[in-house]
Each structure stands twice: as C-alpha cells, then as structure tokens.
Amino acid sequence: MDAVDNWVDNSINLEISSTEEPTLCFEEDCVLGIDEAGRGPVLGPMVYGTAYWPLSKSKHFGEMGLDDSKVLSEADREKLFELYNKENAISGWHLVCISPVTISKSMLAKDNQRESLNELSHNAAIHLIRVTLRRGVRVTEVYVDTVGPPEKYEAKLQALFPEIKITVSKKADSLFKCVSAASICAKVARDRALKSWSWREGTTYEKIGSGYPGDPVTKKFLRDSCDPIFGFPSVTRFSWSTAEDLLAKEHVKVQWTLESNKKSKGAMDLFVKKEATPKEDAFFTNRCIQQVVSL
C-alpha cells in the first residue's frame, strides 16, 4: 500500500496489488469480492477494490473479523487490513484509485464522451475482474456491492463473464466476507491517499475533513481554497453540485463561447510569420492550465 502514500501525480489513476504470488489461488477455485470507498465525497479519489481467496479457505477468512468498513473505526480498519495482508500467500487484493480529476473530466465531458459515476463504477468493477483473471486466479464466484439496480448490474456482469457465478447485492459488504475485505482495502487506501495528498497547486492544506459535502471542515476548506476565477484545487471533484453551487454563488462568472465563424485559411496564410509563444506563468502550470486553440 506504499504506492498510495507516494501517489505523486494524483491527476491520473493509480493501480496497486498485493505483492505475493498466492499460488493456491492459481490451483483452486476462488471467490472474489468487489466494493468501493469514496463514492459520495466531493474531495479525493473513489477507490475500487477486490479481495479474493480459495473457497477452501472461506472459513478461515470468515473468522478473521472482516466487516463492512463503514461500521469499523479507522484503527480497526487498519488492523484488519494488516491482518488480511499477512495472508497474501493464500489470498490477494487489487485496487484502482480513480482520481478526482478523472471523475470530473468523465462527468463533465461532451455527450459522446461523458461517463456517469455509475458507468465509472461499473467499468472499474469489470476491469478488476479482468485484472484478477489475467493474474491467473481461478475465479469461480464473484460478489459485488451494487451500484444502481442489482438485477441489471448482475445481468451486465454475467453476460461479460458467463463462466463465473455473479452475485450483485445491496449491503454485500456486510453479507459476504470477501466484499467486506474489499471494502476495508479500498477504505484504507482512500484514507491514506487523503492524508498524504500531493498538492500540485503548491499550497498544502492541513485540514480538509472527510470530504463529504456535509462535513463542516470540508465546507470550510472549499470556501478557503477556492480561487475566485480558477476554482478549487485538484483534490476537488468539480462535477459535484456542492462545488458547482459554490462557484456559481460566490465567484467570478466565466462564460465560454464557441468560435464557430473562424475565417478560412488561404494559401498566403502559410507565409505569415508566427508570433512567439508567450512563456506560461507558474500559476497556470502548477494548476495544469494551458492555452487551447479551440473548445
């Protein structure tokens, strides 16, 4: 999990796996659980995780004390993650940390490129199953905490993986221990990512809260950190109504126009001397803002 603590370029997604080669998982039928952490917050990544082990070891992991990460304290989550991770000779996990920049870009893209949060979640789960299969794990059963109607989600996954028994359920993180383990892995990774966040804007913020819109500390962070023109640091999901409403009410209104009547270029335009490109100010480069030719 050290990669989460050193997630330097958190504008892009991060994937990490357990390090050991669980040979028993390559030889015996295995169960795989999938869950996420950080779906609702306005700050930070959404982390999707898997946890898997041989069906023959289900009793062993069932007695470990695994549970839905939301009902556990941070200390208990860390303890259970370390306990589960010590068993990585006979089990494993894989995480996809979806950055807030990716979430914002996906949800605010043009119609033909836009992805809803549900689509991002479904695609992450599909990717995690494929990654585990490519690793050589003999997955025969998959349990997933639902996103949207469970019946439709289950049918979607079952059509993609017809050889695997798929179960999509509400409250799967409390019903199935493999989903509980995935929930704990994902939550621990998200918490660590926020604590060691790489502030690409050059300013470090000590207190940002839980990231949930109702958290008073998070609300204060959003108000204090927001530039009146360029908005929030990249830890913020610009696509959340919480962020949109704050920008609309308290900051400079920016109207983007589409240049649809540009003059057509002729042959003589090829001989026009190009102007030198102005040097970009550090304020813009630190925030990954660059001049564009067209919108």
Side-chain angles (χ1 to χ4, degrees):
M1 195 78 77
D2 291 343
V4 175
D5 299 324
N6 298 293
W7 188 8
V8 177
D9 189 358
N10 44 47
S11 68
I12 59 175
N13 299 343
L14 174 72
E15 289 194 43
I16 51 175
S17 296
S18 50
T19 55
E20 295 292 326
E21 286 295 313
T23 54
L24 196 62
C25 295
F26 308 147
E27 300 167 355
E28 295 188 13
D29 291 347
C30 293
V31 61
L32 172 76
I34 299 177
D35 198 16
E36 53 76 27
R39 178 178 170 82
V42 66
L43 302 181
M46 177 171 67
V47 181
Y48 255 81
T50 58
Y52 54 86
W53 53 70
L55 287 166
S56 64
K57 299 295 182 181
S58 293
K59 183 179 179 182
H60 171 70
F61 287 100
E63 296 171 346
M64 189 176 286
L66 301 167
D67 204 347
D68 173 12
S69 65
K70 294 187 291 296
V71 304
L72 298 170
S73 68
E74 181 179 358
D76 285 340
R77 289 193 298 266
E78 287 282 351
K79 180 180 177 181
L80 284 167
F81 172 74
E82 296 301 332
L83 190 62
Y84 175 65
N85 198 41
K86 286 180 180 179
E87 300 286 350
N88 60 11
I90 57 170
S91 65
W93 51 266
H94 189 85
L95 302 175
V96 177
C97 304
I98 305 173
S99 77
V101 173
T102 298
I103 294 171
S104 298
K105 286 172 62 178
S106 299
M107 295 180 67
L108 296 175
K110 293 180 179 180
D111 291 341
N112 61 339
Q113 298 174 324
R114 185 178 302 150
E115 280 186 283
S116 68
L117 195 64
N118 280 6
E119 289 172 317
L120 281 170
S121 299
H122 288 188
N123 291 337
I126 292 165
H127 174 71
L128 286 168
I129 296 172
R130 287 173 173 161
V131 165
T132 309
L133 292 172
R134 284 200 297 268
R135 193 174 187 183
V137 178
R138 282 176 46 178
V139 179
T140 58
E141 297 181 16
V142 171
Y143 296 88
V144 187
D145 201 11
T146 194
V147 174
E151 299 81 7
K152 290 183 179 180
Y153 191 10
E154 183 175 303
K156 180 179 181 178
L157 293 176
Q158 194 66 76
L160 290 169
F161 305 100
E163 303 301 320
I164 300 174
K165 177 188 173 185
I166 305 287
T167 300
V168 176
S169 171
K170 295 179 180 179
K171 305 294 183 183
D173 45 9
S174 59
L175 295 174
F176 307 105
K177 294 302 180 183
C178 57
V179 184
S180 300
S183 174
I184 291 168
C185 292
K187 179 61 175 170
V188 167
R190 175 178 155 80
D191 287 348
R192 292 187 184 183
L194 283 179
K195 286 181 179 179
S196 60
W197 195 256
S198 177
W199 296 97
R200 303 167 66 236
E201 294 78 18
T203 302
T204 299
Y205 297 91
E206 297 293 336
K207 297 180 180 180
I208 65 174
S210 65
Y212 282 90
D215 185 338
V217 180
T218 295
K219 288 181 179 179
K220 186 177 187 304
F221 163 76
L222 289 172
R223 289 193 300 269
D224 294 347
S225 67
C226 188
D227 183 272
I229 296 176
F230 297 103
F232 306 97
S234 58
V235 72
T236 309
R237 302 178 188 178
F238 278 69
S239 52
W240 252 235
S241 60
T242 306
E244 290 180 336
D245 292 346
L246 187 59
L247 283 174
K249 291 177 182 177
E250 301 185 18
H251 297 87
V252 176
K253 183 177 181 180
V254 179
Q255 184 174 355
W256 300 95
T257 58
L258 181 64
E259 297 181 54
S260 56
N261 296 317
K262 288 185 177 180
K263 181 182 176 182
S264 299
K265 288 188 176 182
M268 292 305 296
D269 291 319
L270 298 174
F271 301 97
V272 176
K273 184 179 179 180
K274 292 184 178 179
E275 295 182 2
T277 303
K279 185 178 180 181
E280 293 186 354
D281 190 274
F283 179 89
F284 299 95
T285 55
N286 287 340
R287 289 161 174 77
C288 299
I289 300 170
Q290 61 183 355
Q291 184 178 2
V292 295
V293 176
S294 61
L295 295 175

